[in-house]
Structures are given as structure tokens and as C-alpha cells.
Amino acid sequence: MSLVRIGVIGCADIARRSVVPAILNLKDQYALSGIASRTKEKAEEFASLFDIVPYTGYESLLNKDEIDAVYIPLPNSMHAKWIEEALAKDIHVLVEKSLACSFEEVKHLNELASSRRLVLLENFQFRFHEQLAVINNMVNEGKIGEIRCLKSSFGFPPFPDIDNIRYKKELGGGALLDAGVYPIKIAQIFLGQNVEVSAANIWFDSKKNIDIWGGAYLKQKDGPMFAEVAFGFDNFYQCNLELWGSEGKIYTNRIFTAKPDFSPEIIFESSNGKNIINVEPCNHFEKMLLHLYNLINAKEGLASEYVQNINQSRLICEAMSIACKR
């Protein structure tokens, strides 16, 4: 399979800390074409950290002839525009969550990607961590019997900087689009795509004009399983998953944010007692990028990603709509 030439639009912290280093580590799969920022100074500062080419203005990178894919870690409100710009130039897209701010935008972008047979991948890197694979295997092997309930929470204390983009409504801020998307995503992994939000509660900060914390109840449309999810920007830190079954329970407390050198613990309880399973450290950013690489080269699994993207956005919109009617 051929080397993928990838560029980065935006100098976000997640790009600097995690995604760009992962790209550079995968030398047999990727060549990093450059980093684009709206300002020359910021592009040059970021590029100097990794000895890569800086571009001033996002369009300048997308106009580059030797680019196959682009990673977009911009504020949520800017995703739709630059995803569409990239897809229109036949460039594959990896984008930070949330993919876009409205269901209509997400549906349109995935239809565009499908029509051009291009990858549109939302960066939920935890999908590719070994701990999720271990949990999936335990469930499939019947270790906890039939799943009765999924619980997942992702939230953290207030950000120290009041100008944080997550506090800006005009930039697509808010806890649901930033933190709530994680437990909503993992609920679909175990309950399937055919789920709906039947209840939701979201608290809004009237001064910031954004949602700060909340939760939702998801249930299968064609089955008995349900999920209770919670999220927030004004919370004691939580990053957990609990699967309660007819014959046991699985719990882990770092399901979404395990660092490459961190060994997660999975707690398994049944009538035979409690066991702790230690999972080897895993760089889920690198594994996510390998998934992207395979999608680009093999062109298999594209439809599954489109369906996941659209379904994720539908559930986000359902949660917000139900909460706002309360």
C-alpha cells in the first residue's frame, strides 16, 4: 500500500501533544506534508517543534498538489467548512470530534464523502485502544452474561482560562459537543446503532450561553438494553465505563484518555469474585491512524464510518432537543 501524504489544519493542543507525534512515528504509512495556521507566526512556531513545513492560511495547504489526507483539529464551528473544502478537492479527512455542529451539516458532509469514495473519519481514538478490545472480547465470550445496562461518564473541572474555546458558543463550544460525545459514542459500540435518546437533562450557564454539564438516557429501539451517560465541564474528573450484565460486571476508569505509557485496569466482578485485568500500554492515536491508512488504501469500511458519523450526530441532536424542551 502507498504512503499517505497528510497535512494538518490548525495548531490545536491535541495535534501537538498526540496526533502529530503519532503521524511522525508511522514512517512506513505517512509523510507529514505540513501544518497550516491562519497566522504566519503560529504556523512557524508549531512547525519548528517538528521540523515540518509551515503554511499561512488553511487554503494554502489544501491547494498543495501532493496531499492525500488532512487532519482537522479546529474549533467545532469551523469543521464543516474545511471538511467540505477538503472533500471537494478529493482529500481524505480525519477530523476531531464533534464532526460538525448540526445534523444537517454532518449528513451533507457524509453524503459528499460517499459520492467521492473518500474517508471521513471522526477521531474517537479510544475505539482503537487495546482495553476496549479486551472488554469487547469479554462481552462476546459471555463473561457477564447478557448486558442489562451501560453506564459511562466523562467530565472534568472548569478550565482555568475563561477564554477557552470550549466556553465559546460561536465556536461550537459546550460540554455536550466536547465531552458528552464520548459516552454517547461508546453506548453505540455496545448497544448498536439502532438506539434513541428517550430522556436528557442539560444545564446551561446563562452568562457563557453554553451547556456546562448534563446527561442522557439511551435505549435500543429493537431491544431491552439501555445506557445512562453523563458529562460535564464543572465536575469531579470521571472517565469511566461500566457494563452491568446478568452474570457479572465490567468496570474501567480511564476508558477515553489512556496515555501511551498508561496501563489501564479492568475490574471484572462475578459470583466467583473480583479480578483485575491489567492491559498493556497502547498508543490509540497510532492505532487510529493505522485504521485511517487502511481505509484510504483499501477503500473498505467507508460506509460503516459514514453511518457511525451520521448516527452519532443524530443522537447528539436528540439529546439537546429533548433537554431544551424540559
Side-chain angles (χ1 to χ4, degrees):
M1 292 192 287
S2 59
L3 200 68
V4 171
R5 300 161 300 182
I6 190 168
V8 180
I9 290 182
C11 301
D13 191 50
I14 190 171
R16 179 183 59 81
R17 285 186 295 104
S18 302
V19 178
V20 168
I23 291 171
L24 293 172
N25 283 342
L26 297 173
K27 298 184 186 303
D28 293 334
Q29 291 80 24
Y30 288 98
L32 186 55
S33 300
I35 174 76
S37 178
R38 286 179 294 180
T39 66
K40 181 174 183 288
E41 295 75 19
K42 197 165 185 179
E44 290 179 345
E45 179 186 1
F46 191 103
S48 68
L49 297 174
F50 302 102
D51 192 24
I52 56 177
V53 180
Y55 288 84
T56 303
Y58 305 144
E59 189 71 37
S60 63
L61 179 61
L62 292 182
N63 280 335
K64 191 170 186 291
D65 291 334
E66 295 114 4
I67 187 170
D68 305 304
V70 66
Y71 167 54
I72 304 176
L74 296 170
N76 290 330
S77 64
M78 301 173 69
H79 287 176
K81 172 180 171 56
W82 294 105
I83 291 171
E84 184 156 18
E85 292 271 354
L87 295 175
K89 297 177 185 295
D90 288 324
I91 296 170
H92 302 283
V93 175
L94 168 67
V95 62
E96 277 306 322
K97 77 297 289 180
S98 289
L99 193 149
C101 293
S102 75
F103 178 73
E104 291 74 20
E105 288 175 329
V106 171
K107 188 170 182 292
H108 166 68
L109 293 169
N110 281 274
E111 288 171 349
L112 178 58
S114 177
S115 70
R116 292 176 173 264
R117 294 288 292 158
L118 293 168
V119 178
L120 179 50
L121 178 64
E122 193 170 16
N123 183 24
F124 284 103
Q125 70 279 350
F126 76 87
R127 289 172 54 192
F128 306 101
H129 199 286
E130 184 62 24
Q131 70 173 323
L132 188 60
V134 171
I135 293 170
N136 257 320
N137 288 338
M138 294 173 68
V139 171
N140 293 335
E141 291 169 1
K143 297 287 189 183
I144 61 170
E146 296 179 356
I147 296 177
R148 299 298 191 221
C149 171
L150 178 151
K151 296 180 182 179
S152 183
S153 301
F154 188 41
F156 25 84
F159 300 103
D161 54 321
I162 60 173
D163 290 326
N164 192 293
I165 62 170
R166 296 174 182 85
Y167 288 146
K168 305 291 185 182
K169 180 178 175 62
E170 66 274 16
L171 295 179
L176 176 58
L177 285 178
D178 188 80
V181 295
Y182 285 85
I184 288 174
K185 182 70 174 181
I186 206 166
Q188 295 163 80
I189 290 173
F190 291 98
L191 273 61
Q193 299 291 313
N194 197 21
V195 294
E196 62 184 358
V197 178
S198 61
N201 182 59
I202 296 176
W203 187 83
F204 290 84
D205 185 312
S206 58
K207 293 182 180 179
K208 294 185 176 70
N209 199 27
I210 60 162
D211 56 295
I212 296 295
W213 55 267
Y217 180 95
L218 288 69
K219 66 183 184 66
Q220 291 180 320
K221 295 180 182 178
D222 54 359
M225 289 192 291
F226 63 92
E228 300 168 352
V229 303
F231 52 89
F233 287 168
D234 189 22
N235 302 54
F236 174 71
Y237 186 79
Q238 291 288 280
C239 181
N240 58 50
L241 170 69
E242 178 184 294
L243 293 169
W244 184 16
S246 57
E247 298 177 18
K249 185 178 82 170
I250 295 170
Y251 176 84
T252 184
N253 67 356
R254 196 52 67 90
I255 188 65
F256 303 123
T257 61
K259 293 182 178 180
D261 60 352
F262 179 75
S263 178
E265 288 186 350
I266 298 169
I267 300 173
F268 169 54
E269 295 182 66
S270 70
S271 58
N272 294 322
K274 179 188 292 188
N275 292 312
I276 296 177
I277 301 164
N278 293 297
V279 180
E280 289 295 315
C282 169
N283 190 324
H284 48 184
F285 289 99
E286 289 186 8
K287 294 187 72 173
M288 175 274 301
L289 286 163
L290 290 173
H291 177 68
L292 173 65
Y293 177 79
N294 291 330
L295 288 172
I296 291 171
N297 280 284
K299 295 293 181 74
E300 295 179 0
L302 299 183
S304 173
E305 297 297 338
Y306 305 147
V307 170
Q308 289 183 58
N309 294 339
I310 292 171
N311 209 55
Q312 171 77 1
S313 181
R314 173 182 64 83
L315 293 171
I316 292 167
C317 293
E318 286 180 7
M320 183 60 76
S321 177
I322 290 172
C324 288
K325 290 177 182 177
R326 290 175 57 88

PDB file of all heavy atoms in Angstrom, residues 262-276:
ATOM      1  N   PHE A 262       0.359   4.421  29.726  1.00  0.00           N
ATOM      2  CA  PHE A 262      -0.529   4.074  30.844  1.00  0.00           C
ATOM      3  C   PHE A 262      -1.088   2.669  30.657  1.00  0.00           C
ATOM      4  O   PHE A 262      -1.533   2.294  29.567  1.00  0.00           O
ATOM      5  CB  PHE A 262      -1.675   5.081  30.927  1.00  0.00           C
ATOM      6  CG  PHE A 262      -2.658   4.809  32.032  1.00  0.00           C
ATOM      7  CD1 PHE A 262      -2.339   5.071  33.346  1.00  0.00           C
ATOM      8  CD2 PHE A 262      -3.923   4.288  31.746  1.00  0.00           C
ATOM      9  CE1 PHE A 262      -3.253   4.826  34.367  1.00  0.00           C
ATOM     10  CE2 PHE A 262      -4.837   4.043  32.752  1.00  0.00           C
ATOM     11  CZ  PHE A 262      -4.507   4.311  34.066  1.00  0.00           C
ATOM     12  N   SER A 263      -1.069   1.889  31.740  1.00  0.00           N
ATOM     13  CA  SER A 263      -1.621   0.536  31.708  1.00  0.00           C
ATOM     14  C   SER A 263      -2.988   0.532  32.404  1.00  0.00           C
ATOM     15  O   SER A 263      -3.065   0.567  33.635  1.00  0.00           O
ATOM     16  CB  SER A 263      -0.675  -0.433  32.428  1.00  0.00           C
ATOM     17  OG  SER A 263      -1.216  -1.741  32.443  1.00  0.00           O
ATOM     18  N   PRO A 264      -4.068   0.510  31.636  1.00  0.00           N
ATOM     19  CA  PRO A 264      -5.402   0.550  32.242  1.00  0.00           C
ATOM     20  C   PRO A 264      -5.726  -0.725  33.028  1.00  0.00           C
ATOM     21  O   PRO A 264      -5.208  -1.804  32.726  1.00  0.00           O
ATOM     22  CB  PRO A 264      -6.347   0.679  31.032  1.00  0.00           C
ATOM     23  CG  PRO A 264      -5.487   1.078  29.890  1.00  0.00           C
ATOM     24  CD  PRO A 264      -4.143   0.488  30.164  1.00  0.00           C
ATOM     25  N   GLU A 265      -6.583  -0.561  34.019  1.00  0.00           N
ATOM     26  CA  GLU A 265      -7.077  -1.693  34.795  1.00  0.00           C
ATOM     27  C   GLU A 265      -8.552  -1.909  34.492  1.00  0.00           C
ATOM     28  O   GLU A 265      -9.340  -0.979  34.544  1.00  0.00           O
ATOM     29  CB  GLU A 265      -6.908  -1.448  36.296  1.00  0.00           C
ATOM     30  CG  GLU A 265      -5.479  -1.524  36.786  1.00  0.00           C
ATOM     31  CD  GLU A 265      -5.394  -1.417  38.294  1.00  0.00           C
ATOM     32  OE1 GLU A 265      -6.418  -1.095  38.936  1.00  0.00           O
ATOM     33  OE2 GLU A 265      -4.301  -1.662  38.830  1.00  0.00           O
ATOM     34  N   ILE A 266      -8.894  -3.154  34.205  1.00  0.00           N
ATOM     35  CA  ILE A 266     -10.284  -3.537  34.005  1.00  0.00           C
ATOM     36  C   ILE A 266     -10.697  -4.402  35.192  1.00  0.00           C
ATOM     37  O   ILE A 266     -10.049  -5.405  35.490  1.00  0.00           O
ATOM     38  CB  ILE A 266     -10.471  -4.317  32.690  1.00  0.00           C
ATOM     39  CG1 ILE A 266     -10.090  -3.447  31.482  1.00  0.00           C
ATOM     40  CG2 ILE A 266     -11.914  -4.803  32.545  1.00  0.00           C
ATOM     41  CD1 ILE A 266     -10.001  -4.211  30.181  1.00  0.00           C
ATOM     42  N   ILE A 267     -11.749  -3.981  35.861  1.00  0.00           N
ATOM     43  CA  ILE A 267     -12.238  -4.739  37.022  1.00  0.00           C
ATOM     44  C   ILE A 267     -13.408  -5.603  36.575  1.00  0.00           C
ATOM     45  O   ILE A 267     -14.415  -5.100  36.055  1.00  0.00           O
ATOM     46  CB  ILE A 267     -12.669  -3.794  38.157  1.00  0.00           C
ATOM     47  CG1 ILE A 267     -11.484  -2.941  38.609  1.00  0.00           C
ATOM     48  CG2 ILE A 267     -13.236  -4.602  39.327  1.00  0.00           C
ATOM     49  CD1 ILE A 267     -11.856  -1.869  39.613  1.00  0.00           C
ATOM     50  N   PHE A 268     -13.265  -6.901  36.778  1.00  0.00           N
ATOM     51  CA  PHE A 268     -14.306  -7.857  36.410  1.00  0.00           C
ATOM     52  C   PHE A 268     -14.848  -8.520  37.673  1.00  0.00           C
ATOM     53  O   PHE A 268     -14.105  -9.106  38.451  1.00  0.00           O
ATOM     54  CB  PHE A 268     -13.733  -8.910  35.452  1.00  0.00           C
ATOM     55  CG  PHE A 268     -14.637 -10.084  35.227  1.00  0.00           C
ATOM     56  CD1 PHE A 268     -15.956  -9.906  34.804  1.00  0.00           C
ATOM     57  CD2 PHE A 268     -14.176 -11.375  35.428  1.00  0.00           C
ATOM     58  CE1 PHE A 268     -16.791 -10.999  34.588  1.00  0.00           C
ATOM     59  CE2 PHE A 268     -14.994 -12.474  35.221  1.00  0.00           C
ATOM     60  CZ  PHE A 268     -16.309 -12.284  34.797  1.00  0.00           C
ATOM     61  N   GLU A 269     -16.147  -8.389  37.868  1.00  0.00           N
ATOM     62  CA  GLU A 269     -16.802  -8.985  39.036  1.00  0.00           C
ATOM     63  C   GLU A 269     -17.863  -9.980  38.594  1.00  0.00           C
ATOM     64  O   GLU A 269     -18.609  -9.731  37.648  1.00  0.00           O
ATOM     65  CB  GLU A 269     -17.462  -7.907  39.893  1.00  0.00           C
ATOM     66  CG  GLU A 269     -16.508  -6.926  40.532  1.00  0.00           C
ATOM     67  CD  GLU A 269     -17.235  -5.920  41.403  1.00  0.00           C
ATOM     68  OE1 GLU A 269     -17.804  -6.330  42.427  1.00  0.00           O
ATOM     69  OE2 GLU A 269     -17.260  -4.728  41.029  1.00  0.00           O
ATOM     70  N   SER A 270     -17.921 -11.109  39.309  1.00  0.00           N
ATOM     71  CA  SER A 270     -18.965 -12.111  39.081  1.00  0.00           C
ATOM     72  C   SER A 270     -19.201 -12.850  40.390  1.00  0.00           C
ATOM     73  O   SER A 270     -18.612 -12.507  41.430  1.00  0.00           O
ATOM     74  CB  SER A 270     -18.540 -13.095  37.977  1.00  0.00           C
ATOM     75  OG  SER A 270     -17.479 -13.923  38.437  1.00  0.00           O
ATOM     76  N   SER A 271     -20.017 -13.863  40.355  1.00  0.00           N
ATOM     77  CA  SER A 271     -20.288 -14.637  41.569  1.00  0.00           C
ATOM     78  C   SER A 271     -19.041 -15.356  42.067  1.00  0.00           C
ATOM     79  O   SER A 271     -18.973 -15.784  43.218  1.00  0.00           O
ATOM     80  CB  SER A 271     -21.398 -15.659  41.298  1.00  0.00           C
ATOM     81  OG  SER A 271     -21.028 -16.521  40.236  1.00  0.00           O
ATOM     82  N   ASN A 272     -18.034 -15.453  41.206  1.00  0.00           N
ATOM     83  CA  ASN A 272     -16.777 -16.099  41.596  1.00  0.00           C
ATOM     84  C   ASN A 272     -15.787 -15.138  42.247  1.00  0.00           C
ATOM     85  O   ASN A 272     -14.684 -15.532  42.625  1.00  0.00           O
ATOM     86  CB  ASN A 272     -16.122 -16.747  40.374  1.00  0.00           C
ATOM     87  CG  ASN A 272     -16.936 -17.897  39.823  1.00  0.00           C
ATOM     88  OD1 ASN A 272     -17.529 -18.661  40.581  1.00  0.00           O
ATOM     89  ND2 ASN A 272     -16.983 -18.009  38.497  1.00  0.00           N
ATOM     90  N   GLY A 273     -16.182 -13.854  42.337  1.00  0.00           N
ATOM     91  CA  GLY A 273     -15.308 -12.883  42.965  1.00  0.00           C
ATOM     92  C   GLY A 273     -14.897 -11.764  42.018  1.00  0.00           C
ATOM     93  O   GLY A 273     -15.493 -11.554  40.965  1.00  0.00           O
ATOM     94  N   LYS A 274     -13.841 -11.064  42.417  1.00  0.00           N
ATOM     95  CA  LYS A 274     -13.370  -9.908  41.656  1.00  0.00           C
ATOM     96  C   LYS A 274     -11.979 -10.179  41.104  1.00  0.00           C
ATOM     97  O   LYS A 274     -11.108 -10.675  41.810  1.00  0.00           O
ATOM     98  CB  LYS A 274     -13.332  -8.670  42.553  1.00  0.00           C
ATOM     99  CG  LYS A 274     -12.826  -7.406  41.866  1.00  0.00           C
ATOM    100  CD  LYS A 274     -12.618  -6.261  42.843  1.00  0.00           C
ATOM    101  CE  LYS A 274     -13.922  -5.752  43.406  1.00  0.00           C
ATOM    102  NZ  LYS A 274     -13.715  -4.506  44.227  1.00  0.00           N
ATOM    103  N   ASN A 275     -11.790  -9.828  39.831  1.00  0.00           N
ATOM    104  CA  ASN A 275     -10.478  -9.947  39.194  1.00  0.00           C
ATOM    105  C   ASN A 275     -10.094  -8.612  38.574  1.00  0.00           C
ATOM    106  O   ASN A 275     -10.954  -7.901  38.041  1.00  0.00           O
ATOM    107  CB  ASN A 275     -10.497 -11.012  38.091  1.00  0.00           C
ATOM    108  CG  ASN A 275     -10.670 -12.402  38.643  1.00  0.00           C
ATOM    109  OD1 ASN A 275      -9.984 -12.779  39.586  1.00  0.00           O
ATOM    110  ND2 ASN A 275     -11.590 -13.166  38.072  1.00  0.00           N
ATOM    111  N   ILE A 276      -8.818  -8.286  38.627  1.00  0.00           N
ATOM    112  CA  ILE A 276      -8.308  -7.087  37.971  1.00  0.00           C
ATOM    113  C   ILE A 276      -7.442  -7.511  36.795  1.00  0.00           C
ATOM    114  O   ILE A 276      -6.501  -8.287  36.946  1.00  0.00           O
ATOM    115  CB  ILE A 276      -7.496  -6.213  38.950  1.00  0.00           C
ATOM    116  CG1 ILE A 276      -8.408  -5.701  40.073  1.00  0.00           C
ATOM    117  CG2 ILE A 276      -6.861  -5.038  38.204  1.00  0.00           C
ATOM    118  CD1 ILE A 276      -7.679  -4.884  41.121  1.00  0.00           C
TER     119      ILE A 276
END
